[in-house]
Every structure is written in structure tokens, then in C-alpha cells.
Amino acid sequence: MSEQAAVPRSQHLQGAQQPSYNGKDELWANERCLKNYNRDIVEKLARHTLQRGSVMEFGAGIGTLAGLWENTTGVRPVCLEIDPQLRQILLERQFPCYQSLDVVDQAFDTIYSSNVLEHIEDDVAILRQLHEKLQPGGTLAVYVPAFMSIYTELDAAVGHYRRYARGELVEKMQRAGFRVERSHYVDCIGYFAWLAVRLRGYKGDRKLGDGKSLAIYDTWLYPLSRLFDGLGLRHLFGKNLLVIARKD
């Protein structure tokens, strides 16, 4: 049922702002407890992108996915992270790291992002900037929360402006100049878990999102969800949405 917690990411548009970050502990817990989930995200993002060439992770956090990306593809990503504390962690992990898109001084073959775009108020403007930072023929791979029908107080608390419908994100990608090659939902079981949070409300004393619940989700529920996704449910619904788009 996990989604990476973070503060609102609208500051990606203003590189001079340095917001404080209140989700660092959650990021460490996600890295420690969600090994299957994180590995699967990277495999899905990398599967339809260029396996060689330059890569940037947009909104890299503490570098969990960046490390898995390197292990999976053999390519060490450049990272972008606006939070100074998280950026320091990335530098300590020896990932080159930009503080905003405004200072990115190269074009990449691949840009990927996981659970970031929903934190940005003007997401189309950011998609246009990401389009500019890609080489012709380059790929943008995006993984985001899905379905406003399961938007919860927890989404609001961690700074989500929205959860996405597939048609909505495809249309926004196209407005930003991309050609969308693939889009489908991910984690059909997680959809019902998030729906339960929506209907019952989120209560911290229920221990949702603690290490034990994350480990149970990662070990038992997510592999089963991935199986059902593969049987075709990914075309109908899921807790998340994956979109792969190309710059012509």
C-alpha cells in the first residue's frame, strides 16, 4: 500500500527555493522494507527506455531507485533533488546531483521519475521542461499515483495535488510535446487498499506504513498484485500509473 511520502514538489519550478523536507525517515523505511516494490518500479521504468546513454532521475530522494537503476542497467544516473538534506545524502552516495531543472546543463537520453509529478501544481510546465532536457529520441518514464476516486487525507498530508487518470496524464504529456508509447496502471491490489483508507480514513495509530506493514505488503501483497496486473488488470485499474513517452 506504500507510496513514497514527500512534501509538495511545486518548488521544482523555482530553483532558488529550498524547502524543508519532513519525509526522510519514511524514505529510509521504504528503502529498507520495500525491496521487491522498488526493484519492480525500476524494472518497469527501465524496460522501455534506452539501456545505455545518459540518465537523470527527477526527484531522487535519498537515491534508492538511483542505486537500483545502476544495478539493473549498469548506468549510474545523474540525480535532481531540490531538498538540501536529501541532496547531501545523494552526494555522499556519490551520485552527481542538480538542485533544480533551471541549472541542468546537459540533455539526457533518459529521464525517469517515481512519485514526484503529483507534488507539482503546474505539472504541464514541468513536463515541458523535462522535454527540453531530453535528447531527440530520448525517453521520459513516469510513475505516479492513480485515480482521484481514491484520493485520501493521506494524499493531502504528503502534498499530492492530484492522483492521475491514464487519459489525463497521456493528454498532458502530449501537450508538453511527447509522443506517448505506453501507459498502464500498476498494483491492482493496492488500489483496494487505498480505497479502504479513503472509506475508513487514515489513522496513525493503525500503524499503516510502519516497517512491519511495509514488509508484509512487499513480501506477500505486492507480488500477488504484480501477478494479477500481468493477467490484464493493469489495463483497468491500479494504485499507480506508468507512462513511457518519447521526444521525437
Side-chain angles (χ1 to χ4, degrees):
M1 193 175 66
S2 171
E3 288 182 4
Q4 294 175 337
V7 294
R9 294 296 207 169
S10 58
Q11 293 93 339
H12 275 296
L13 289 171
Q14 293 88 27
Q17 296 187 27
Q18 300 293 337
S20 61
Y21 187 85
N22 63 6
K24 185 165 60 175
D25 291 344
E26 287 84 353
L27 292 176
W28 286 116
N30 286 347
E31 178 173 287
R32 184 175 63 254
C33 301
L34 295 177
K35 297 184 183 300
N36 291 325
Y37 176 78
N38 290 325
R39 187 183 306 111
D40 192 54
I41 289 176
V42 168
E43 289 175 355
K44 283 179 167 61
L45 292 170
R47 189 173 299 144
H48 304 287
T49 61
L50 298 174
Q51 294 299 304
R52 290 291 180 267
S54 55
V55 179
M56 182 175 75
E57 180 177 350
F58 176 67
I62 61 172
T64 300
L65 298 190
L68 289 170
W69 186 282
E70 183 176 20
N71 292 340
T72 300
T73 68
V75 177
R76 191 167 186 81
V78 174
C79 295
L80 187 150
E81 176 52 56
I82 62 170
D83 183 87
Q85 293 184 39
L86 301 185
R87 195 162 57 248
Q88 183 59 38
I89 293 171
L90 289 165
L91 293 172
E92 290 171 358
R93 288 182 153 188
Q94 300 184 339
F95 289 105
C97 191
Y98 290 105
Q99 67 182 13
S100 77
L101 281 172
D102 295 334
V103 298
V104 173
D105 56 359
Q106 63 182 109
F108 294 90
D109 296 302
T110 297
I111 297 174
Y112 70 91
S113 179
S114 172
N115 292 308
V116 174
L117 198 62
E118 68 275 11
H119 294 276
I120 301 170
E121 186 171 11
D122 192 348
D123 51 354
V124 176
I126 282 293
L127 288 170
R128 287 179 176 137
Q129 285 188 270
L130 292 173
H131 187 272
E132 292 174 0
K133 302 303 180 182
L134 279 169
Q135 297 277 6
T139 304
L140 176 65
V142 174
Y143 186 89
V144 294
F147 286 104
M148 279 300 292
S149 60
I150 57 170
Y151 187 94
T152 70
E153 59 187 290
L154 184 55
D155 285 291
V158 299
H160 291 180
Y161 284 101
R162 68 194 72 80
R163 301 179 71 94
Y164 287 91
R166 178 164 55 181
E168 173 195 7
L169 187 52
V170 167
E171 188 268 339
K172 287 181 174 181
M173 290 275 201
Q174 291 169 341
R175 284 168 57 192
F178 288 100
R179 174 171 51 85
V180 175
E181 294 190 337
R182 177 178 293 267
S183 63
H184 63 78
Y185 295 108
V186 180
D187 194 4
C188 57
I189 291 178
Y191 172 89
F192 293 105
W194 217 253
L195 178 61
V197 174
R198 162 90 177 178
L199 296 175
R200 297 177 59 193
Y202 173 75
K203 303 295 183 184
D205 58 1
R206 290 178 183 164
K207 305 299 184 184
L208 295 175
D210 67 1
K212 183 177 180 180
S213 66
L214 291 177
I216 291 171
Y217 167 81
D218 192 61
T219 303
W220 301 105
L221 295 182
Y222 189 70
L224 185 61
S225 189
R226 185 171 56 190
L227 173 63
F228 286 127
D229 285 348
L231 293 175
L233 291 182
R234 69 183 182 272
H235 299 299
L236 302 176
F237 63 91
K239 179 176 65 64
N240 292 89
L241 173 65
L242 175 72
V243 177
I244 308 294
R246 193 82 63 188
K247 176 178 178 177
D248 290 327

